[in-house]
Amino acid sequence: MQHFLSTQDWTKSELDQLLLAAKRLQQSPWNERMRRRSIALLFFNPSLRTRTSFELGMHQLGGHAVVLQPGKDAWGIAFEESTVMDGSEEEHMKEVAGVLSRYCDLIAVRAFPKGQDWLVDRQDLLIHHLAKYSQVPVINMETILHPCQELAFIMALQQRIGSVAKKRMTLTWTWHPKALNTAVANSALLIGTRFGMDVTLLIPEQAYALDEQFMQQAHSNAQASGGSVEVTTNIEQAYRDADVVYAKSWGALPLYGQVQEEQKLREPYRHFIVDEAKMSLTNNAVFSHCLPLRRNVKATDAVMDSPQCMALEEAENRLHVQKAIMLKLLNA
Amino acid sequence: MQHFLSTQDWTKSELDQLLLAAKRLQQSPWNERMRRRSIALLFFNPSLRTRTSFELGMHQLGGHAVVLQPGKDAWGIAFEESTVMDGSEEEHMKEVAGVLSRYCDLIAVRAFPKGQDWLVDRQDLLIHHLAKYSQVPVINMETILHPCQELAFIMALQQRIGSVAKKRMTLTWTWHPKALNTAVANSALLIGTRFGMDVTLLIPEQAYALDEQFMQQAHSNAQASGGSVEVTTNIEQAYRDADVVYAKSWGALPLYGQVQEEQKLREPYRHFIVDEAKMSLTNNAVFSHCLPLRRNVKATDAVMDSPQCMALEEAENRLHVQKAIMLKLLNA
Amino acid sequence: MQHFLSTQDWTKSELDQLLLAAKRLQQSPWNERMRRRSIALLFFNPSLRTRTSFELGMHQLGGHAVVLQPGKDAWGIAFEESTVMDGSEEEHMKEVAGVLSRYCDLIAVRAFPKGQDWLVDRQDLLIHHLAKYSQVPVINMETILHPCQELAFIMALQQRIGSVAKKRMTLTWTWHPKALNTAVANSALLIGTRFGMDVTLLIPEQAYALDEQFMQQAHSNAQASGGSVEVTTNIEQAYRDADVVYAKSWGALPLYGQVQEEQKLREPYRHFIVDEAKMSLTNNAVFSHCLPLRRNVKATDAVMDSPQCMALEEAENRLHVQKAIMLKLLNA
């Protein structure tokens, strides 16, 4: 039994097959290959695209999705081993996984990191415990990685520019009023290097470096794929001749959980916004973002509304790639 | 592409056709005309009837509805042009509309006015921005109008009394512990005059007058339809010989956003409750309300439980008219 | 028209037929017998299993479930007769029942007791008013009873040990950080005695006795079925030679609504946890619980992970018995 927790667990050839299947599903969205199949969608955090695309995707394949929000309309869930559950959680992941495995054919989960201790959160325990206890395949709908987004991004990029190998991809940090999850940044880094791109990570200062585990994976990826990884704090250098600009905001890991201090550190860097001036340095680059995006904070209206912006195509592709993933996991 | 934002955007003949289609769907509720079609239901506010009737209605036509609650289980949404989004909203309507248009065939939205500044709220910007940016038809599930309710009301009335032209309709304000939205009152006024009724708006004092834009539309409607509009503070005069009594509570627009002051103004008018004594002045009038209704606050148990009350029929008709609207918007 | 509010309203033969139908549905889960049928699921409280099993169950029978959360995404609901609704509830059960009866073929409700006055809560007014006003069958998804859980438990037990008559069932109170609902304890007591088991209710002290109405029903049940009921505070005596151990925590009724006092009373009884030492006193008993369960608070990991634990089977059976109940109520 295979899960879809990280693209790193899948071979490049398997990822290529998923993308091919997704493109076919875009052409021909409806079939009955998931008839009598169901998926439980566990949302610990809000969602618009993910919720809609999984629910509709399953429906378009003849199956059914059940949406659950633990701690809101369902019970809070603990997942540590041997824990004495006298806190706020009413239920253990062993039972949640066990029960949902008996009801459903797939389980997908969105569980953002808790934001207090990165040494804990970087282990991504919740989804790994879910996968461990589940009798059915588990799909990551965003934890500290967002692998469905990765495939949607690559698919959109391939449809825009063809083969992505050796293309220059700038992954730029942007300012945001809150210290956000690094998931999409980690994911963009992984998938770019996996597909042989020359990835430049642009950060305002060293504190915004991504976690070492993902940097190492990116370097291994690049070595295997013929791509490269480079980190810079130089905006002009990062944008110069880029073929792709991908924007994301995240909080500084050394100040993880220290909201005020992190905010102070971030404050001087509002000028990392993606704007026309920066885009004019590029090789007429396509621009994208995972959404939701705060306009005129992360990127200007001019960039978002330009023909270079492929954010909506990427969002649409969530539907197609997720259908491909569900079908593959169930060999359906 | 047509939207369903206000019945004022539709010709009388189109509205008649929707009502005819709704009556047919009541007789024959199930078909497959929305097979492979989907609708996104965006709820910024609670719902029981609207949610259930849209979701089931789509299902009965072979399609699928996705229920989203921005700011609760989905992200908060900004909609102003060129706004620097450094407040609480995470996402702009351009992207929401763009993404949902790629996933779904229809978008419906419930967005009550925010209740702070009527000069802003009376512009109904959220739904108009949604319609502007959407690539698919948009349906109003209640903003400062409630056009689906309008058709459900007229349909119930026609089924009770036949042709409604020249019938006397009393639209009465009632007391309620909170300053509510004027949407259903505006809508009742518009649809009554549109269908040639002689509409009397009963309010406790001038502060409870409805917005001038809807009064003007009502006067134009009456002129075109052969109906009439009149405003009074005289309870007896308003009820005398009425054929239809429609009740609704709303807050005084001159004190919009001033909760305490408005409450004080409203306090002396609890006697506007619809009761048997008032109903006995009428021409054995039918009574209705959009629901939810606070019993013995807006109307007495005796009135609600009387055979004259058609509130449940009106609620049922929501299902039928909304199915007719969805089918019409998609020419399905 | 029959409702499913309590197993006490159904004959033993009818319950046997439901269990038989459930076992058949476990073997053959999919059919179209609920085609064009729908159910409204009203949740006043959180749910994972109930929500998922009803929604999927209806889907597997070709029908559709609508999930509503009054007071959250739907309106708050009053249900007392002749009440002047100037409090927080926006809507009366008469209208909710009336409207949902027009949209749906079945209505199911979860409404935990409010926890302030047991003399009020023990009357279970909400669901009885819903059933009174509904034009369609009503199903109890847990109020002060949990009859769907009862059937799931008996089904799991029959599949483990065959005929349950004259088997020794220990229903043990366990500690929990909160004063929980007595519903599942009441239900386990009723269904055990109904099926002829010798039920021992183990409580830490007299304050944890269950409500007299359910004790009396249990005694009548036992008399009719050839079973028995006994109450004890002696742990060893309760566990000795038991064939089944069923665990549940609940608050002391004499201190109902007095959170702090009740907590103090409960505090010394953490040792009522189900552990291996206690289980070793039994006749190799099967263990179960309705879930959600706090591990190492109500039962140890060793007990939960042992082959004796049938909690997941019981949870799975919720799906099967609820499908049987829906089909039976609609003669479908």
Short mmCIF file of all heavy atoms in Angstrom, two decimals, chain A residues 30 46-47 49 51-52 55-56 59 69 72 176 178 291-297 301 304-305 312 315-316 318, chain B residues 36 38 64-65 67-68 72-75 82-87 89-92 94-95 99 102-104:
data_model
loop_
_atom_site.label_atom_id
_atom_site.label_comp_id
_atom_site.label_asym_id
_atom_site.label_seq_id
_atom_site.Cartn_x
_atom_site.Cartn_y
_atom_site.Cartn_z
N TRP A 30 -14.70 13.14 -16.57
CA TRP A 30 -15.72 12.31 -15.93
C TRP A 30 -15.53 10.84 -16.25
O TRP A 30 -15.41 10.46 -17.40
CB TRP A 30 -17.11 12.75 -16.41
CG TRP A 30 -17.45 14.14 -15.97
CD1 TRP A 30 -17.14 15.30 -16.59
CD2 TRP A 30 -18.16 14.49 -14.78
NE1 TRP A 30 -17.62 16.37 -15.86
CE2 TRP A 30 -18.25 15.91 -14.75
CE3 TRP A 30 -18.74 13.76 -13.74
CZ2 TRP A 30 -18.89 16.59 -13.71
CZ3 TRP A 30 -19.38 14.45 -12.72
CH2 TRP A 30 -19.44 15.84 -12.70
N PRO A 46 -8.46 25.65 7.62
CA PRO A 46 -9.39 26.06 6.56
C PRO A 46 -8.89 25.68 5.16
O PRO A 46 -7.70 25.43 4.96
CB PRO A 46 -9.44 27.58 6.68
CG PRO A 46 -8.90 27.92 8.01
CD PRO A 46 -7.93 26.82 8.35
N SER A 47 -9.82 25.69 4.24
CA SER A 47 -9.50 25.33 2.87
C SER A 47 -10.60 25.81 1.94
O SER A 47 -11.77 25.79 2.30
CB SER A 47 -9.41 23.80 2.77
OG SER A 47 -9.49 23.41 1.42
N ARG A 49 -9.76 25.79 -2.07
CA ARG A 49 -9.39 25.02 -3.25
C ARG A 49 -9.30 23.52 -2.97
O ARG A 49 -9.81 22.69 -3.73
CB ARG A 49 -8.01 25.45 -3.75
CG ARG A 49 -8.01 26.58 -4.74
CD ARG A 49 -6.69 27.32 -4.70
NE ARG A 49 -6.58 27.96 -3.39
CZ ARG A 49 -7.17 29.11 -3.10
NH1 ARG A 49 -7.86 29.75 -3.99
NH2 ARG A 49 -7.06 29.62 -1.89
N ARG A 51 -10.50 21.65 -0.50
CA ARG A 51 -11.81 21.09 -0.19
C ARG A 51 -12.65 20.90 -1.47
O ARG A 51 -13.19 19.82 -1.73
CB ARG A 51 -12.51 22.07 0.76
CG ARG A 51 -13.99 22.00 0.81
CD ARG A 51 -14.43 20.84 1.64
NE ARG A 51 -15.87 20.70 1.55
CZ ARG A 51 -16.74 21.44 2.22
NH1 ARG A 51 -16.30 22.34 3.07
NH2 ARG A 51 -18.03 21.26 2.07
N THR A 52 -12.74 21.96 -2.26
CA THR A 52 -13.59 21.92 -3.44
C THR A 52 -13.05 20.93 -4.47
O THR A 52 -13.80 20.15 -5.06
CB THR A 52 -13.70 23.32 -4.07
OG1 THR A 52 -14.11 24.24 -3.06
CG2 THR A 52 -14.70 23.34 -5.20
N GLU A 55 -13.44 17.26 -3.21
CA GLU A 55 -14.84 16.83 -3.16
C GLU A 55 -15.41 16.65 -4.57
O GLU A 55 -16.02 15.64 -4.88
CB GLU A 55 -15.66 17.85 -2.36
CG GLU A 55 -17.12 17.43 -2.21
CD GLU A 55 -17.93 18.35 -1.31
OE1 GLU A 55 -17.33 19.04 -0.44
OE2 GLU A 55 -19.17 18.38 -1.48
N LEU A 56 -15.15 17.66 -5.42
CA LEU A 56 -15.65 17.55 -6.79
C LEU A 56 -14.90 16.48 -7.57
O LEU A 56 -15.49 15.77 -8.39
CB LEU A 56 -15.51 18.89 -7.51
CG LEU A 56 -16.64 19.87 -7.29
CD1 LEU A 56 -16.36 21.13 -8.07
CD2 LEU A 56 -17.97 19.26 -7.72
N HIS A 59 -16.35 13.24 -6.83
CA HIS A 59 -17.67 13.15 -7.45
C HIS A 59 -17.55 12.89 -8.95
O HIS A 59 -18.31 12.09 -9.51
CB HIS A 59 -18.44 14.44 -7.19
CG HIS A 59 -19.79 14.49 -7.82
ND1 HIS A 59 -20.83 13.70 -7.40
CD2 HIS A 59 -20.26 15.21 -8.87
CE1 HIS A 59 -21.89 13.94 -8.15
NE2 HIS A 59 -21.57 14.84 -9.04
N GLN A 69 -14.01 18.05 10.14
CA GLN A 69 -13.14 19.07 10.71
C GLN A 69 -12.89 18.77 12.18
O GLN A 69 -13.62 19.26 13.04
CB GLN A 69 -13.79 20.44 10.54
CG GLN A 69 -13.97 20.79 9.07
CD GLN A 69 -14.71 22.09 8.90
OE1 GLN A 69 -15.89 22.20 9.23
NE2 GLN A 69 -14.04 23.10 8.39
N LYS A 72 -13.63 20.90 15.42
CA LYS A 72 -14.73 21.81 15.15
C LYS A 72 -16.03 21.00 15.06
O LYS A 72 -16.76 20.95 16.02
CB LYS A 72 -14.47 22.61 13.87
CG LYS A 72 -13.31 23.60 14.08
CD LYS A 72 -12.88 24.25 12.80
CE LYS A 72 -13.91 25.27 12.31
NZ LYS A 72 -13.44 25.95 11.07
N HIS A 176 4.44 39.15 4.66
CA HIS A 176 3.03 38.82 4.94
C HIS A 176 2.82 39.23 6.40
O HIS A 176 3.76 39.15 7.19
CB HIS A 176 2.84 37.31 4.75
CG HIS A 176 1.42 36.85 4.90
ND1 HIS A 176 0.80 36.72 6.13
CD2 HIS A 176 0.50 36.46 3.99
CE1 HIS A 176 -0.44 36.28 5.94
NE2 HIS A 176 -0.65 36.12 4.66
N LYS A 178 1.55 37.75 8.80
CA LYS A 178 1.73 36.65 9.76
C LYS A 178 2.90 35.75 9.37
O LYS A 178 3.27 35.68 8.21
CB LYS A 178 0.46 35.78 9.82
CG LYS A 178 -0.76 36.51 10.34
CD LYS A 178 -1.93 35.54 10.42
CE LYS A 178 -3.26 36.28 10.31
NZ LYS A 178 -4.34 35.45 9.80
N LEU A 291 -1.92 30.27 -3.81
CA LEU A 291 -3.19 30.82 -3.33
C LEU A 291 -3.58 30.13 -2.00
O LEU A 291 -3.29 28.97 -1.84
CB LEU A 291 -4.33 30.67 -4.35
CG LEU A 291 -4.07 31.24 -5.75
CD1 LEU A 291 -5.31 31.02 -6.63
CD2 LEU A 291 -3.70 32.70 -5.71
N PRO A 292 -4.21 30.83 -1.07
CA PRO A 292 -4.66 32.22 -1.15
C PRO A 292 -3.50 33.20 -1.14
O PRO A 292 -2.49 32.96 -0.47
CB PRO A 292 -5.50 32.38 0.13
CG PRO A 292 -4.90 31.42 1.10
CD PRO A 292 -4.49 30.24 0.27
N LEU A 293 -3.68 34.29 -1.88
CA LEU A 293 -2.65 35.32 -1.96
C LEU A 293 -3.23 36.68 -1.59
O LEU A 293 -4.31 37.05 -2.04
CB LEU A 293 -2.09 35.38 -3.38
CG LEU A 293 -1.09 36.51 -3.64
CD1 LEU A 293 0.07 36.00 -4.49
CD2 LEU A 293 -1.74 37.73 -4.31
N ARG A 294 -2.51 37.41 -0.75
CA ARG A 294 -2.90 38.78 -0.42
C ARG A 294 -2.34 39.69 -1.50
O ARG A 294 -1.12 39.86 -1.61
CB ARG A 294 -2.33 39.18 0.94
CG ARG A 294 -3.02 38.45 2.11
CD ARG A 294 -2.24 38.68 3.39
NE ARG A 294 -2.91 38.06 4.52
CZ ARG A 294 -3.54 38.73 5.48
NH1 ARG A 294 -3.56 40.05 5.46
NH2 ARG A 294 -4.12 38.09 6.47
N ARG A 295 -3.23 40.28 -2.28
CA ARG A 295 -2.82 41.18 -3.34
C ARG A 295 -2.18 42.44 -2.78
O ARG A 295 -2.58 42.95 -1.74
CB ARG A 295 -4.03 41.57 -4.18
CG ARG A 295 -4.41 40.48 -5.20
CD ARG A 295 -5.68 40.82 -5.92
NE ARG A 295 -5.88 39.88 -7.02
CZ ARG A 295 -5.74 40.21 -8.31
NH1 ARG A 295 -5.40 41.44 -8.66
NH2 ARG A 295 -5.94 39.30 -9.25
N ASN A 296 -1.17 42.92 -3.48
CA ASN A 296 -0.46 44.13 -3.12
C ASN A 296 0.29 43.99 -1.79
O ASN A 296 0.70 44.98 -1.21
CB ASN A 296 -1.40 45.34 -3.13
CG ASN A 296 -2.07 45.47 -4.50
OD1 ASN A 296 -1.39 45.43 -5.52
ND2 ASN A 296 -3.39 45.56 -4.52
N VAL A 297 0.42 42.76 -1.36
CA VAL A 297 1.25 42.44 -0.20
C VAL A 297 2.33 41.44 -0.65
O VAL A 297 3.51 41.68 -0.49
CB VAL A 297 0.39 41.87 0.95
CG1 VAL A 297 1.27 41.30 2.06
CG2 VAL A 297 -0.54 42.95 1.50
N ASP A 301 -1.19 43.90 -7.99
CA ASP A 301 -2.27 43.64 -8.94
C ASP A 301 -1.72 43.48 -10.35
O ASP A 301 -2.16 42.60 -11.11
CB ASP A 301 -3.26 44.82 -8.93
CG ASP A 301 -4.21 44.78 -7.75
OD1 ASP A 301 -4.48 43.68 -7.23
OD2 ASP A 301 -4.70 45.85 -7.34
N MET A 304 -0.35 40.02 -10.72
CA MET A 304 -1.42 39.01 -10.62
C MET A 304 -2.31 39.03 -11.86
O MET A 304 -2.81 37.98 -12.28
CB MET A 304 -2.27 39.25 -9.38
CG MET A 304 -1.63 38.85 -8.07
SD MET A 304 -1.22 37.06 -8.00
CE MET A 304 -2.87 36.33 -7.90
N ASP A 305 -2.55 40.21 -12.39
CA ASP A 305 -3.46 40.32 -13.53
C ASP A 305 -2.74 40.24 -14.87
O ASP A 305 -3.38 40.35 -15.92
CB ASP A 305 -4.25 41.64 -13.43
CG ASP A 305 -5.16 41.67 -12.21
OD1 ASP A 305 -5.60 40.58 -11.79
OD2 ASP A 305 -5.42 42.75 -11.68
N LEU A 312 -4.12 30.73 -11.47
CA LEU A 312 -5.42 30.08 -11.64
C LEU A 312 -5.30 28.73 -12.34
O LEU A 312 -6.02 27.78 -12.03
CB LEU A 312 -6.39 30.98 -12.42
CG LEU A 312 -6.89 32.23 -11.70
CD1 LEU A 312 -7.91 32.95 -12.58
CD2 LEU A 312 -7.51 31.90 -10.35
N ALA A 315 -4.15 26.39 -9.74
CA ALA A 315 -5.27 26.03 -8.85
C ALA A 315 -6.19 25.02 -9.54
O ALA A 315 -6.63 24.05 -8.92
CB ALA A 315 -6.04 27.29 -8.45
N GLU A 316 -6.48 25.27 -10.81
CA GLU A 316 -7.34 24.32 -11.53
C GLU A 316 -6.72 22.93 -11.54
O GLU A 316 -7.40 21.92 -11.36
CB GLU A 316 -7.56 24.78 -12.97
CG GLU A 316 -8.46 23.79 -13.73
CD GLU A 316 -8.45 23.97 -15.24
OE1 GLU A 316 -8.60 25.10 -15.70
OE2 GLU A 316 -8.31 22.94 -15.93
N ARG A 318 -5.05 21.45 -9.43
CA ARG A 318 -5.25 20.69 -8.19
C ARG A 318 -6.30 19.60 -8.41
O ARG A 318 -6.14 18.45 -7.98
CB ARG A 318 -5.70 21.63 -7.06
CG ARG A 318 -4.68 22.67 -6.64
CD ARG A 318 -3.54 22.03 -5.87
NE ARG A 318 -4.02 21.28 -4.76
CZ ARG A 318 -4.37 21.80 -3.58
NH1 ARG A 318 -4.21 23.08 -3.35
NH2 ARG A 318 -4.82 21.03 -2.61
N ARG B 36 -23.20 16.04 -14.28
CA ARG B 36 -21.84 16.55 -14.53
C ARG B 36 -21.74 18.05 -14.31
O ARG B 36 -20.76 18.68 -14.75
CB ARG B 36 -21.36 16.16 -15.93
CG ARG B 36 -21.39 14.65 -16.11
CD ARG B 36 -20.62 14.21 -17.33
NE ARG B 36 -20.43 12.77 -17.26
CZ ARG B 36 -19.82 12.06 -18.19
NH1 ARG B 36 -19.34 12.66 -19.26
NH2 ARG B 36 -19.66 10.77 -18.04
N SER B 38 -21.90 21.29 -11.39
CA SER B 38 -21.73 21.51 -9.96
C SER B 38 -21.92 22.98 -9.63
O SER B 38 -21.81 23.85 -10.48
CB SER B 38 -20.34 21.05 -9.51
OG SER B 38 -19.36 21.80 -10.19
N HIS B 64 -23.98 18.25 -8.33
CA HIS B 64 -23.36 18.21 -7.00
C HIS B 64 -23.10 19.63 -6.50
O HIS B 64 -22.62 20.49 -7.24
CB HIS B 64 -22.05 17.44 -7.05
CG HIS B 64 -21.45 17.22 -5.70
ND1 HIS B 64 -21.98 16.33 -4.79
CD2 HIS B 64 -20.39 17.78 -5.08
CE1 HIS B 64 -21.26 16.34 -3.68
NE2 HIS B 64 -20.28 17.21 -3.83
N ALA B 65 -23.41 19.86 -5.23
CA ALA B 65 -23.15 21.15 -4.58
C ALA B 65 -22.02 21.01 -3.58
O ALA B 65 -21.98 20.05 -2.81
CB ALA B 65 -24.41 21.64 -3.86
N VAL B 67 -20.36 22.98 -0.37
CA VAL B 67 -20.70 24.03 0.60
C VAL B 67 -19.42 24.59 1.21
O VAL B 67 -18.64 23.85 1.78
CB VAL B 67 -21.60 23.45 1.71
CG1 VAL B 67 -21.93 24.53 2.74
CG2 VAL B 67 -22.86 22.85 1.12
N LEU B 68 -19.22 25.89 1.08
CA LEU B 68 -18.02 26.54 1.60
C LEU B 68 -18.42 27.68 2.53
O LEU B 68 -19.37 28.41 2.25
CB LEU B 68 -17.20 27.10 0.45
CG LEU B 68 -16.67 26.06 -0.54
CD1 LEU B 68 -16.17 26.72 -1.81
CD2 LEU B 68 -15.57 25.21 0.09
N LYS B 72 -14.66 30.68 7.98
CA LYS B 72 -14.83 29.62 8.97
C LYS B 72 -14.06 28.40 8.47
O LYS B 72 -12.95 28.16 8.92
CB LYS B 72 -16.31 29.31 9.19
CG LYS B 72 -16.99 30.47 9.92
CD LYS B 72 -18.48 30.33 9.96
CE LYS B 72 -18.92 29.24 10.95
NZ LYS B 72 -20.40 29.17 11.01
N ASP B 73 -14.62 27.65 7.55
CA ASP B 73 -13.83 26.53 7.05
C ASP B 73 -13.09 26.87 5.75
O ASP B 73 -12.30 26.08 5.28
CB ASP B 73 -14.64 25.23 6.93
CG ASP B 73 -15.89 25.37 6.10
OD1 ASP B 73 -15.92 26.30 5.28
OD2 ASP B 73 -16.80 24.57 6.26
N ALA B 74 -13.35 28.05 5.19
CA ALA B 74 -12.52 28.52 4.08
C ALA B 74 -11.88 29.86 4.52
O ALA B 74 -12.06 30.31 5.65
CB ALA B 74 -13.36 28.68 2.82
N TRP B 75 -11.12 30.50 3.66
CA TRP B 75 -10.42 31.73 4.00
C TRP B 75 -11.34 32.94 3.88
O TRP B 75 -12.27 32.95 3.10
CB TRP B 75 -9.25 31.92 3.03
CG TRP B 75 -8.36 30.73 2.95
CD1 TRP B 75 -8.36 29.76 1.99
CD2 TRP B 75 -7.37 30.34 3.90
NE1 TRP B 75 -7.43 28.81 2.28
CE2 TRP B 75 -6.80 29.13 3.43
CE3 TRP B 75 -6.88 30.90 5.08
CZ2 TRP B 75 -5.78 28.48 4.14
CZ3 TRP B 75 -5.88 30.24 5.77
CH2 TRP B 75 -5.34 29.05 5.29
N SER B 82 -7.80 47.08 -5.95
CA SER B 82 -6.52 47.71 -5.63
C SER B 82 -6.21 47.78 -4.15
O SER B 82 -5.39 48.57 -3.72
CB SER B 82 -6.46 49.13 -6.20
OG SER B 82 -6.75 49.11 -7.57
N THR B 83 -6.87 46.95 -3.36
CA THR B 83 -6.66 47.03 -1.92
C THR B 83 -5.34 46.37 -1.53
O THR B 83 -4.94 45.36 -2.12
CB THR B 83 -7.85 46.37 -1.19
OG1 THR B 83 -7.65 46.50 0.20
CG2 THR B 83 -7.98 44.90 -1.53
N VAL B 84 -4.66 46.97 -0.57
CA VAL B 84 -3.46 46.36 0.00
C VAL B 84 -3.93 45.42 1.11
O VAL B 84 -4.42 45.85 2.15
CB VAL B 84 -2.51 47.43 0.56
CG1 VAL B 84 -1.31 46.77 1.24
CG2 VAL B 84 -2.04 48.35 -0.57
N MET B 85 -3.82 44.14 0.88
CA MET B 85 -4.49 43.17 1.75
C MET B 85 -3.64 42.81 2.97
O MET B 85 -3.23 41.66 3.13
CB MET B 85 -4.83 41.93 0.92
CG MET B 85 -5.89 42.21 -0.14
SD MET B 85 -6.20 40.79 -1.20
CE MET B 85 -6.69 39.57 0.04
N ASP B 86 -3.43 43.79 3.84
CA ASP B 86 -2.68 43.49 5.05
C ASP B 86 -3.58 43.42 6.28
O ASP B 86 -3.11 43.53 7.40
CB ASP B 86 -1.52 44.47 5.24
CG ASP B 86 -1.98 45.91 5.21
OD1 ASP B 86 -3.20 46.14 5.17
OD2 ASP B 86 -1.12 46.80 5.23
N GLY B 87 -4.87 43.25 6.07
CA GLY B 87 -5.81 43.09 7.18
C GLY B 87 -6.06 41.62 7.49
O GLY B 87 -5.13 40.82 7.48
N GLU B 89 -8.34 39.52 5.81
CA GLU B 89 -8.69 38.65 4.69
C GLU B 89 -7.44 38.09 4.01
O GLU B 89 -6.48 38.81 3.77
CB GLU B 89 -9.53 39.39 3.64
CG GLU B 89 -10.96 39.59 4.07
CD GLU B 89 -11.17 40.96 4.68
OE1 GLU B 89 -10.20 41.74 4.74
OE2 GLU B 89 -12.29 41.24 5.10
N GLU B 90 -7.50 36.81 3.68
CA GLU B 90 -6.34 36.11 3.12
C GLU B 90 -6.40 36.02 1.61
O GLU B 90 -5.45 35.59 0.98
CB GLU B 90 -6.28 34.68 3.68
CG GLU B 90 -5.98 34.58 5.16
CD GLU B 90 -4.51 34.83 5.47
OE1 GLU B 90 -3.69 34.87 4.53
OE2 GLU B 90 -4.19 35.00 6.64
N GLU B 91 -7.55 36.40 1.04
CA GLU B 91 -7.74 36.07 -0.36
C GLU B 91 -8.63 37.12 -1.00
O GLU B 91 -9.49 37.71 -0.35
CB GLU B 91 -8.41 34.69 -0.44
CG GLU B 91 -8.64 34.22 -1.82
CD GLU B 91 -8.45 32.71 -1.95
OE1 GLU B 91 -8.83 31.96 -1.03
OE2 GLU B 91 -7.92 32.31 -2.98
N HIS B 92 -8.43 37.33 -2.29
CA HIS B 92 -9.23 38.32 -3.00
C HIS B 92 -10.30 37.63 -3.84
O HIS B 92 -10.11 36.52 -4.31
CB HIS B 92 -8.33 39.17 -3.92
CG HIS B 92 -8.99 40.42 -4.39
ND1 HIS B 92 -9.85 40.46 -5.45
CD2 HIS B 92 -8.93 41.69 -3.90
CE1 HIS B 92 -10.29 41.71 -5.62
NE2 HIS B 92 -9.75 42.48 -4.70
N LYS B 94 -11.17 38.17 -6.76
CA LYS B 94 -10.73 37.84 -8.12
C LYS B 94 -10.27 36.39 -8.20
O LYS B 94 -10.60 35.68 -9.15
CB LYS B 94 -9.55 38.75 -8.55
CG LYS B 94 -9.96 40.15 -8.92
CD LYS B 94 -8.78 40.89 -9.57
CE LYS B 94 -9.14 42.36 -9.77
NZ LYS B 94 -8.01 43.13 -10.35
N GLU B 95 -9.48 35.98 -7.20
CA GLU B 95 -8.97 34.60 -7.22
C GLU B 95 -10.08 33.61 -6.85
O GLU B 95 -10.19 32.53 -7.44
CB GLU B 95 -7.78 34.44 -6.27
CG GLU B 95 -6.45 34.84 -6.87
CD GLU B 95 -6.33 36.34 -7.15
OE1 GLU B 95 -6.45 37.15 -6.21
OE2 GLU B 95 -6.13 36.69 -8.33
N VAL B 99 -10.96 30.82 -9.41
CA VAL B 99 -10.75 29.39 -9.09
C VAL B 99 -12.06 28.64 -9.13
O VAL B 99 -12.16 27.57 -9.76
CB VAL B 99 -10.09 29.24 -7.70
CG1 VAL B 99 -10.13 27.80 -7.25
CG2 VAL B 99 -8.65 29.75 -7.74
N ARG B 102 -13.34 27.77 -12.41
CA ARG B 102 -12.66 26.65 -13.08
C ARG B 102 -13.14 25.31 -12.54
O ARG B 102 -13.06 24.30 -13.23
CB ARG B 102 -11.14 26.77 -12.91
CG ARG B 102 -10.56 27.84 -13.84
CD ARG B 102 -9.11 28.14 -13.55
NE ARG B 102 -8.60 29.13 -14.47
CZ ARG B 102 -7.78 28.87 -15.49
NH1 ARG B 102 -7.36 27.63 -15.71
NH2 ARG B 102 -7.36 29.84 -16.29
N TYR B 103 -13.61 25.29 -11.30
CA TYR B 103 -14.07 24.02 -10.72
C TYR B 103 -15.57 23.76 -10.97
O TYR B 103 -15.98 22.62 -11.10
CB TYR B 103 -13.87 24.02 -9.20
CG TYR B 103 -12.44 24.02 -8.71
CD1 TYR B 103 -12.12 24.57 -7.48
CD2 TYR B 103 -11.41 23.44 -9.45
CE1 TYR B 103 -10.82 24.55 -6.99
CE2 TYR B 103 -10.11 23.43 -8.98
CZ TYR B 103 -9.81 23.98 -7.74
OH TYR B 103 -8.54 23.97 -7.26
N CYS B 104 -16.36 24.85 -10.94
CA CYS B 104 -17.82 24.69 -10.86
C CYS B 104 -18.52 25.38 -12.03
O CYS B 104 -17.96 26.26 -12.67
CB CYS B 104 -18.34 25.31 -9.56
SG CYS B 104 -17.70 24.48 -8.10
#
